[in-house]
Amino acid sequence: MKRVLLRAGLALVLGWSLAGFAARAETTSPPPAAPVDPAQAPAVLGAERLFSAWMESQIAYRGLPGVAVGVVSDQKVIWAKGFGYADLAAKRPMTADTKFRIASNSKIFTTIAIMQLREEGKLRLDDPVTKYLPWFKAAPAGDDDGPITIEQLLSHSSGLQREASDHWASYQFPTREELQRLYAERQAAFPPATRWKYSNLGFAVAGLIVEKVSGQSYASYVQANILDPLGMRDTSIDRNMLGLATPYGRRLPDGTREVIPFIDSHGMAAATGVTSTVNDLAKFISAWFRRGPRGGGQIVSSGSWREMLRVRSVEEDWKSGTGLGFDIDRVKDRTYVGHGGGYPGNTTQTLAQLDDKVAVIVLTNTNDSNPGEIANQLMATVGKAVAAAAPAKPAEVAWDPEWARFAGLYRGVFGDSQVVLLDKKLILMNPNAPTIDDSVTLQPLGGGRFRLMSPTGGRAAGEVVRFTEEPGKPMRMIAGDTWTTRVAGQ
């Protein structure tokens, strides 16, 4: 590949070098400041105090039993704290190691299990569910419905009804056998791939596929392939163990709350059956930020993470969507992923911003705590401060004034392109466009190469751009696999 040579005379280069040497001889630059640990950054500590004051007031004025929260920065827990009580009668304080039923956050574990089996070549996302569960046949929503696939189960686009039985009212969750019997009595609400339709039933069925393909129970598979590799020693599935937060119902008008007994999710475990802690979920969420081939603590490959975090179906208002197992929301030009959950006496929320590699965890032991809003406030205070205090991202290639010569009009077979010099930045625009909103940035890569960067993608987004200069010939701009020629005098 031919690269552009910067035009600088030898004498000028030597002059710069000697001048730099003289400056260094006269003054000694101070050593670079040591990076600040985000956990000790004053802004982060202040945000923790602000959130704590708000959270303690919420507990006092709303009569909440307890809340446990955590903030993660990439591979590190920055802050974890309990507020209120894990058990009101015993005055057992809430801590970051208190165990909760994390409810629908369980769906992310189920999706990872499916993706692991996919990586092993044991199933495909576009496989029909009936390939593994022949009994999975019920009245379709329409006459020409196609088969429901595994991918549709994981993206809430199967059209299946939400539940399999009355377990949220009766607390009697169906067994695997009962789930199969009950399904035969159901009819899909929508044809598959029609619209987003949340379905706990769909994820319960996905868990049965994990069992069928792996030859293990759902709990055993998740333990061996997710919990053990991540060191999540306080996480389990449907086990009534010491350290569980006492679950409380909503506050009634007289101020009382029902104490809810331990409830086994049975055949619905893959949708809602996992128990965990703030500190264990921090290990789980750190895995969301890692990339690389599968192995050890890398529980799925980079490719699988990309598949899981790609929006598959959206709400009718287009403000939120679903990847595979993940809820995905766009708020103020930022994308957040995670999941909310509700189980009798427990409501939860995980929320992560992938660009900043910052996440928050909220676990509560009551049904009326609104963990989603608590998570929003935690992200807006401590999470925001952590993102600002985190180590700086690698610096971009420094601007070279010589690049200004690339600005100009370039002409090709299918149209013109204009390279415009802004303040130490080059942008590429279509001079024939009715607006300038579609301009893209030429991000320096070094060696006379640039990358086309656009906030909304585009036909050539991500392509590498380079410029060639040969004596007696006009300059060319080569973008990807095509080129345009500089128009003389423009």
Side-chain angles (χ1 to χ4, degrees):
M1 176 183 294
K2 181 176 178 180
R3 298 187 177 181
V4 177
L5 298 178
L6 298 181
R7 299 169 179 171
L10 179 59
L12 185 57
V13 172
L14 288 174
W16 285 343
S17 299
L18 291 173
F21 178 83
R24 289 193 297 272
E26 292 173 5
T27 60
T28 302
S29 299
V36 177
D37 179 358
Q40 301 303 320
V44 173
L45 297 175
E48 291 170 5
R49 291 190 293 271
L50 175 62
F51 177 84
S52 295
W54 177 79
M55 192 71 259
E56 288 163 356
S57 297
Q58 292 291 299
I59 288 177
Y61 289 107
R62 295 172 58 195
L64 301 177
V67 178
V69 303
V71 180
V72 178
S73 177
D74 198 0
Q75 304 303 298
K76 182 178 181 180
V77 180
I78 299 297
W79 189 53
K81 184 177 175 63
F83 298 88
Y85 294 104
D87 186 283
L88 291 170
K91 299 296 182 183
R92 175 160 57 97
M94 187 70 77
T95 74
D97 291 315
T98 300
K99 300 178 179 68
F100 294 81
R101 309 302 294 276
I102 65 170
S104 285
N105 276 282
S106 307
K107 292 177 172 66
I108 302 177
F109 290 82
T110 302
T111 303
I112 290 171
I114 290 287
M115 298 305 286
Q116 289 176 337
L117 295 170
R118 175 180 179 261
E119 289 182 356
E120 296 166 10
K122 296 179 179 178
L123 55 76
R124 292 169 53 97
L125 292 178
D126 59 359
D127 281 339
V129 175
T130 52
K131 179 176 179 180
Y132 305 97
L133 305 175
W135 54 265
F136 188 74
K137 297 174 182 177
D143 295 334
D144 59 349
D145 292 2
I148 294 173
T149 66
I150 296 174
E151 181 174 7
Q152 290 164 353
L153 296 179
L154 302 182
S155 60
H156 294 297
S157 59
S158 66
L160 289 175
Q161 64 274 22
R162 180 184 173 94
E163 308 296 346
S165 71
D166 62 359
H167 42 274
W168 295 117
S170 67
Y171 295 165
Q172 300 297 314
F173 282 71
T175 64
R176 294 163 179 78
E177 294 73 25
E178 290 171 335
L179 191 67
Q180 181 175 339
R181 177 181 58 79
L182 289 166
Y183 179 71
E185 303 170 0
R186 297 298 186 267
Q187 181 174 18
F190 299 105
T194 300
R195 58 167 292 176
W196 184 88
K197 171 71 173 69
Y198 195 84
S199 177
N200 284 317
L201 171 59
F203 265 85
V205 172
L208 298 181
I209 293 174
V210 171
E211 294 187 334
K212 180 70 173 181
V213 173
S214 70
Q216 300 176 260
S217 70
Y218 175 79
S220 296
Y221 182 90
V222 169
Q223 183 72 50
N225 294 278
I226 302 176
L227 306 185
D228 289 347
L230 295 179
M232 299 176 67
R233 296 180 179 84
D234 290 325
T235 302
S236 60
I237 297 170
D238 279 327
R239 288 173 54 195
N240 190 359
M241 61 179 68
L242 292 175
L244 274 169
T246 298
Y248 297 95
R250 63 186 177 89
R251 187 168 67 166
L252 298 176
D254 63 1
T256 62
R257 293 180 182 272
E258 173 192 10
V259 177
I260 299 175
F262 178 84
I263 299 170
D264 194 319
S265 65
H266 296 295
M268 302 294 292
T272 192
V274 176
T275 295
S276 193
T277 69
V278 164
N279 281 327
D280 257 16
L281 285 176
K283 300 174 183 176
F284 184 53
I285 288 177
S286 285
W288 303 0
F289 299 138
R290 293 195 289 268
R291 296 295 179 265
R294 180 181 169 191
Q298 186 68 37
I299 49 178
V300 290
S301 67
S302 298
S304 289
W305 283 121
R306 285 193 297 270
E307 286 284 324
M308 293 167 66
L309 295 168
R310 179 166 60 85
V311 176
R312 296 304 210 287
S313 54
V314 296
E315 280 272 34
E316 294 302 289
D317 59 9
W318 289 73
K319 293 181 180 179
S320 61
T322 303
L324 299 181
F326 281 92
D327 291 339
I328 303 174
D329 294 280
R330 187 76 173 166
V331 181
K332 295 181 179 179
D333 296 328
R334 305 289 280 173
T335 300
Y336 297 88
V337 305
H339 215 293
Y343 201 74
N346 289 261
T347 48
T348 65
Q349 182 72 55
T350 56
L351 191 65
Q353 213 296 313
L354 297 178
D355 294 329
D356 295 331
K357 294 187 177 181
V358 172
V360 299
I361 303 159
V362 176
L363 307 179
T364 82
N365 58 339
T366 186
N367 286 342
D368 57 356
S369 58
N370 193 357
E373 190 52 48
I374 295 174
N376 288 338
Q377 298 305 313
L378 184 56
M379 182 66 82
T381 52
V382 184
K384 183 178 180 180
V386 167
K393 297 178 181 178
E396 296 181 356
V397 176
W399 169 259
D400 187 331
E402 285 283 324
W403 295 338
R405 71 181 187 277
F406 299 142
L409 182 66
Y410 293 81
R411 181 152 293 160
V413 175
F414 294 103
D416 293 351
S417 298
Q418 183 96 28
V419 176
V420 180
L421 173 65
L422 299 184
D423 181 22
K424 296 182 179 180
K425 181 167 63 175
L426 295 173
I427 68 165
L428 181 66
M429 61 171 285
N430 177 3
N432 193 43
T435 69
I436 57 174
D437 296 337
D438 60 349
S439 59
V440 297
T441 301
L442 294 179
Q443 182 185 69
L445 298 176
R449 299 181 308 131
F450 302 81
R451 188 182 301 280
L452 289 173
M453 297 300 293
S454 171
T456 58
R459 295 180 181 178
E463 299 282 355
V464 173
V465 173
R466 57 192 176 92
F467 297 85
T468 62
E469 299 169 276
E470 297 181 22
K473 294 184 179 181
M475 182 185 294
R476 280 184 175 180
M477 177 172 62
I478 303 174
D481 295 311
T482 191
W483 50 268
T484 53
T485 302
R486 174 78 170 268
V487 178
Q490 297 292 318

